[in-house]
Amino acid sequence: MSHLAYVELAKSYRLLNHGPTVLVSSADAGRRNVMAASWSMPLDFQPPKVAVVIDKSTYTRELVEASGCFALNVPCRALAQATLAAGNQSGRDIPDGGEDKIRALGLRTFAASQIGAPLIEGCVGWLECRVLPEPRNQQAYDLFIGEVVAAWADERVFANGHWLYDAGSDPALRTLHYVAGGAFFTTGDGLDVRSPL
Amino acid sequence: MSHLAYVELAKSYRLLNHGPTVLVSSADAGRRNVMAASWSMPLDFQPPKVAVVIDKSTYTRELVEASGCFALNVPCRALAQATLAAGNQSGRDIPDGGEDKIRALGLRTFAASQIGAPLIEGCVGWLECRVLPEPRNQQAYDLFIGEVVAAWADERVFANGHWLYDAGSDPALRTLHYVAGGAFFTTGDGLDVRSPL
C-alpha cells in the first residue's frame, strides 16, 4: 500500500468521528470475510474504543467471535459499488473453489500490524481492533466493542489527525455515508466554526 | 414548528444512518439541557433503537438518568455554531437567573410528543427516545441505549424515508459531521449505486 501512514492512537477516533460507513474485515483459521456497516462509532478516546453492530446472521460475526478481532476499514467513493455489494451479499453464499467474498468483490488486501484480519486496499482509513468481550451486548443488541490497537490512513486525505478534504482534493477519495437502498452521500464541504461562547 | 412531518418508526434509523452529529436534549423536574454528541448510531430497525455516548461529567447525564428519556436532534449547517458551543460548554456553568444552556445558546424548543425532553427548533430531524437501562454499559462505557418512540423530520429535506439533499437544496439545511477542533463537514453529494452482484 502506497500513501499508508500511521495514525496516532489518541487521534484514531477522528477516522470515524464524522460518521462514515465502514467495511468490517475479519479472519479466522484461513477463512476471511468483509461486510459493510453503517452502524459504528467511536466509544472512547484513550485507550481508543469503537462500537459496531454485527448481526448474528453474518459470516463476519462467526469470524469475529472466533478470532476476537476485526478491522474497520473506511472506504471512499471509488469503492462505493464494492461497499454496497459487501452489504448485500453474505460471505457464506460465495461458491467454493478458492474464491471468497473479498476476492469476489474485486477487493485486494494487505496485512494488518496487530491482528489477523486483512485490511482492504483502496480504503482511506483503517482501525485494527481487538474485541472487548461483552456477552450481553453481543447477544441482546449484536453490539461489539473493540479496543483500537493500531490505526492507519491514506496520507493524501488524512494527516496529523485531520482530514484534508477541500475543494481541490480528489472526489474519489471522499468517505461515504450510507442511507438505504443504494443511496450514499459523500463527505461534503468543510466548515470551520469558532464557538461564540 | 413549520415543515414538521411525522417519520414512520421503521424508517427513523435513516435520520442517523449517514452519521450526522446530533444534539442530545433532556429535561427533568423543571430543568433542561442540551449537549452535542458525535458518538451516536442506530442500533436496531424495529423496534428502532439508538446508541449514544453521554459522559459522566455532563449535566445531560444527570437529567437523562433521572428522567429515563432523551431526544436526538439532528442539526443542520445553520446551527453549526450553536452545535459547537453546545459541545464546548456545560449546562452546569450557565449563571442562574432564569437562564439555561438552551436559551444561552439562542436555541428555541418545541414539545416532544412522547417524552418530556424538549425538541430543538431549526434542526432537521428528531428522535424521541426512552432509555433501555443497561447499567454496565452506562457505567463502563458511558453508553446509553434508547428505544425510539417517535420521530420527526423537516419535510423540506426528509420525506417518505429519504433525505432530499440535491444540488438545488438549501445548503443551510445540510446535516453536520463533526471531526474535532471546530471542524465539521456538511453532508455532501448524493451517490446512487447499483450493486454489481
Side-chain angles (χ1 to χ4, degrees):
Chain A
M1 270 295 294
S2 48
H3 308 298
L4 187 70
Y6 176 75
V7 174
E8 194 187 333
L9 279 181
K11 291 184 174 161
S12 64
Y13 76 94
R14 296 184 185 179
L15 294 170
L16 296 182
N17 210 74
H18 66 302
T21 297
V22 299
L23 293 169
V24 183
S25 55
S26 55
D28 184 66
R31 303 174 301 164
R32 59 180 201 160
N33 200 37
V34 64
M35 64 170 249
S38 299
W39 298 356
S40 77
M41 65 178 183
L43 191 62
D44 207 349
F45 293 107
Q46 189 71 309
K49 300 186 189 80
V50 298
V52 60
V53 176
I54 303 175
D55 194 83
K56 283 177 195 67
S57 67
T58 64
Y59 187 37
T60 293
R61 174 75 170 249
E62 185 181 330
L63 300 186
V64 170
E65 290 193 330
S67 66
C69 298
F70 60 85
L72 300 185
N73 308 260
V74 183
C76 57
R77 183 171 183 148
L79 291 184
Q81 201 172 56
T83 300
L84 182 67
N88 283 348
Q89 189 178 33
S90 171
R92 284 206 188 84
D93 299 335
I94 304 295
D96 281 341
E99 201 59 328
D100 66 21
K101 184 176 170 187
I102 293 175
R103 267 189 293 270
L105 293 172
L107 296 171
R108 303 206 301 182
T109 63
F110 60 103
S113 67
Q114 303 291 324
I115 64 173
L119 304 182
I120 307 292
E121 278 191 21
C123 288
V124 292
W126 300 267
L127 298 132
E128 303 182 22
C129 303
R130 286 213 180 93
V131 174
L132 298 174
E134 290 287 351
R136 171 160 169 80
N137 282 338
Q138 296 166 207
Q139 277 308 307
Y141 301 111
D142 295 330
L143 178 66
F144 284 73
I145 294 175
E147 179 175 340
V148 182
V149 293
W152 310 91
D154 184 321
E155 62 191 359
R156 291 174 296 175
V157 296
F158 187 94
N160 301 316
H162 296 282
W163 289 101
L164 306 177
Y165 296 132
D166 62 25
S169 63
D170 184 351
L173 297 178
R174 295 266 173 153
T175 51
L176 296 166
H177 304 262
Y178 191 62
V179 183
F184 292 90
F185 292 109
T186 55
T187 301
D189 294 337
L191 185 65
D192 206 342
V193 176
R194 292 291 162 247
S195 167
L197 292 183
Chain B
M1 270 296 294
S2 50
H3 309 299
L4 187 70
Y6 175 75
V7 174
E8 194 187 332
L9 279 183
K11 290 184 175 161
S12 63
Y13 76 94
R14 296 184 186 179
L15 295 170
L16 295 182
N17 210 75
H18 67 302
T21 298
V22 299
L23 293 170
V24 183
S25 55
S26 55
D28 183 65
R31 302 174 301 164
R32 59 181 201 160
N33 201 35
V34 64
M35 64 170 249
S38 299
W39 299 357
S40 79
M41 65 180 185
L43 190 63
D44 207 350
F45 293 106
Q46 189 71 306
K49 299 187 189 80
V50 298
V52 60
V53 176
I54 304 175
D55 194 82
K56 283 177 195 67
S57 68
T58 65
Y59 186 38
T60 293
R61 174 75 170 251
E62 185 181 331
L63 300 186
V64 170
E65 291 193 329
S67 66
C69 297
F70 60 85
L72 301 185
N73 308 260
V74 183
C76 58
R77 184 171 182 147
L79 291 184
Q81 201 173 56
T83 301
L84 181 67
N88 284 348
Q89 188 178 33
S90 170
R92 284 207 188 85
D93 299 334
I94 304 295
D96 282 341
E99 202 57 332
D100 66 20
K101 184 176 170 186
I102 293 175
R103 268 189 293 269
L105 292 172
L107 296 171
R108 303 204 303 181
T109 63
F110 61 104
S113 66
Q114 302 291 324
I115 63 173
L119 304 183
I120 307 292
E121 279 192 20
C123 288
V124 293
W126 300 266
L127 298 133
E128 303 181 22
C129 303
R130 286 211 180 94
V131 174
L132 299 173
E134 291 287 352
R136 172 161 169 80
N137 282 337
Q138 296 166 206
Q139 277 308 307
Y141 301 110
D142 294 331
L143 178 67
F144 284 74
I145 294 175
E147 180 175 338
V148 182
V149 293
W152 310 90
D154 183 321
E155 64 191 358
R156 293 173 296 175
V157 295
F158 187 95
N160 300 316
H162 296 283
W163 289 102
L164 306 177
Y165 297 132
D166 61 25
S169 63
D170 184 350
L173 297 178
R174 295 266 172 153
T175 50
L176 296 167
H177 304 261
Y178 190 61
V179 184
F184 292 90
F185 291 109
T186 56
T187 301
D189 295 338
L191 185 66
D192 207 340
V193 176
R194 292 288 161 250
S195 169
L197 293 181

